Amino acid sequence: MSKKLQVSIVAFVFLVISAALLVYFWDRAYKDEISEGVTIGGVDVGGLDAEAAASQVRASLVTPLDKDVVVRYGDEKFKLDSDELEVRTDVNRMVEEALAASQEGNAITRTFDRLSGAELDLDIEPEIAYSESAVDDFIGGVQENINQEPVDASVEPSGTALEPVAAQPGITVDENRLRKDLELALSSPVDRKVTAKVDKVKPEVTTGELAEQYPTYLVVDRANFELRLYENLKLAKTYTVAIGAVGYDTPAGLYSIQDKQVDPVWNVPNSDWAGDLAGTTVPPGPDNPLKARWMGIYNGAGIHGTDDVGSLGSAASHGCVRMAIPDVIELYDQVDVGTPIYIA
């Protein structure tokens, strides 16, 4: 081998060793520095050492996470207090993960990336811990304030009318959606506001189902001595009746038909007004004032037929509603047990 070739080989080896040493020591100079393009929870920590990165993360991520979270629904606001949340983050672990990611590969590839300006494009997801029970309690409070039970359609009876009352849908907070939105807000140093979403709750009885719910309805207008029969919420017929005399008033209020009898037996109340009949039982017949039909209402009071038609249109009974015999027979066939009856 010629001396010139030997010199060339030696020079080449020297250059390779020198380059390798240069790469090694340059790479070592960056061993405590996070690579460009690395972020922690969106906070740029590229080019920083561990201490500077930790400080940056605490200032830009941890401190803002100590703010209250606000949930809005319409004009209402509900605040989740940061003190109750007890937010905790492991900043040192996240910084260590960033440094470890920056040292992946070998000295040559890392050096080449630095010289070419390549970036890692890595975002380290922060691990944020907080009180789950505080979140549960908060969600429960939001639900308690926002949730509304649906209101079934109903009727508003009076002595002279039967007014339909429209149904009202209820609302309930979408708990799963609220929990997910809260989790996102709790991990975000910027967006600490959440809008509560609700679902509508259909009432059991809608306005369109109201007539089906009340196929028959009775109203007793004591002031005018009338009984009104409503079918599907529409006035079907008006009957003249007698009601309780003073001191024996027909009970006012909302009741329902409790029982029905054809040619009823009269179980005489044990009361002074019944005289010698008090506490006895009178079978159907001429001595029984309950003629043809009986529809019980409340506490011994009911609707029955009478042959004393002259009492109709007055306050004459001992609390019952009297009707002409043909009228009570007609009504009896149109009224079921459970039919509501409003006495005004």
Side-chain angles (χ1 to χ4, degrees):
M1 182 181 298
S2 66
K3 188 173 182 180
K4 185 176 180 181
L5 180 59
Q6 290 178 342
V7 171
S8 298
I9 292 173
V10 170
F12 176 75
V13 171
F14 178 77
L15 286 174
V16 169
I17 293 173
S18 298
L21 289 173
L22 180 62
V23 168
Y24 173 78
F25 285 111
W26 194 24
D27 181 64
R28 291 287 295 171
Y30 287 95
K31 69 181 179 66
D32 295 324
E33 182 178 299
I34 298 172
S35 296
E36 295 293 339
V38 177
T39 58
I40 297 177
V43 178
D44 185 5
V45 291
L48 302 180
D49 61 20
E51 183 178 351
S55 177
Q56 180 81 334
V57 170
R58 289 190 180 94
S60 301
L61 179 64
V62 178
T63 300
L65 289 178
D66 200 32
K67 294 179 181 179
D68 298 337
V69 176
V70 176
V71 172
R72 296 177 180 271
Y73 177 73
D75 294 332
E76 297 182 84
K77 291 194 300 185
F78 308 93
K79 185 172 69 173
L80 178 52
D81 198 307
S82 61
D83 292 338
E84 297 176 1
L85 280 170
E86 302 173 358
V87 177
R88 303 175 301 280
T89 55
D90 190 347
V91 175
N92 291 332
R93 183 206 60 78
M94 292 186 286
V95 170
E96 288 173 3
E97 185 177 341
L99 282 170
S102 300
Q103 292 301 309
E104 290 181 354
N106 55 57
I108 295 175
T109 58
R110 290 193 293 268
T111 300
F112 178 79
D113 288 342
R114 293 189 184 98
L115 290 172
S116 64
E119 297 184 351
L120 282 185
D121 190 21
L122 172 66
D123 183 40
I124 296 172
E125 189 73 22
E127 292 183 8
I128 300 168
Y130 48 82
S131 170
E132 295 285 352
S133 62
V135 174
D136 290 341
D137 291 344
F138 176 73
I139 291 175
V142 172
Q143 290 175 308
E144 185 176 341
N145 281 276
I146 295 178
N147 288 1
Q148 295 180 14
E149 292 293 329
V151 178
D152 290 343
S154 62
V155 293
E156 187 68 36
S158 66
T160 57
L162 196 62
E163 295 293 339
V165 178
Q168 297 293 331
I171 56 173
T172 182
V173 173
D174 186 336
E175 181 179 349
N176 291 334
R177 174 72 178 273
L178 177 58
R179 189 177 297 278
K180 290 179 181 178
D181 289 347
L182 279 174
E183 289 172 354
L184 290 174
L186 289 170
S187 63
S188 170
V190 178
D191 190 2
R192 309 288 283 179
K193 295 179 181 179
V194 172
T195 299
K197 307 297 182 183
V198 300
D199 296 319
K200 287 189 176 181
V201 182
K202 181 182 176 181
E204 291 186 9
V205 181
T206 65
T207 304
E209 298 167 336
L210 187 56
E212 182 181 347
Q213 184 76 7
Y214 296 103
T216 308
Y217 205 108
L218 300 176
V219 172
V220 176
D221 180 1
R222 295 185 299 174
N224 293 301
F225 308 105
E226 291 179 339
L227 184 150
R228 295 183 175 87
L229 169 64
Y230 290 87
E231 293 180 344
N232 298 321
L233 305 183
K234 295 180 179 180
L235 181 62
K237 193 160 185 180
T238 300
Y239 300 96
T240 299
V241 298
I243 61 170
V246 176
Y248 303 101
D249 301 283
T250 301
L254 179 62
Y255 305 95
S256 63
I257 299 301
Q258 300 295 313
D259 62 280
K260 296 173 63 180
Q261 296 179 48
V262 175
D263 295 328
V265 172
W266 182 30
N267 297 306
V268 184
N270 195 6
S271 179
D272 293 339
W273 64 263
D276 294 339
L277 293 175
T280 65
T281 298
V282 179
D287 295 328
N288 189 332
L290 311 183
K291 302 298 183 182
R293 303 288 186 271
W294 167 265
M295 289 164 275
I297 299 174
Y298 169 76
N299 198 23
I303 303 169
H304 64 81
T306 181
D307 54 11
D308 183 10
V309 293
S311 67
L312 300 180
S314 69
S317 77
H318 289 90
C320 288
V321 177
R322 295 178 182 175
M323 301 181 69
I325 292 174
D327 289 346
V328 79
I329 292 174
E330 179 181 82
L331 180 66
Y332 185 92
D333 292 335
Q334 300 177 82
V335 173
D336 295 324
V337 171
T339 295
I341 176 169
Y342 179 73
I343 301 173

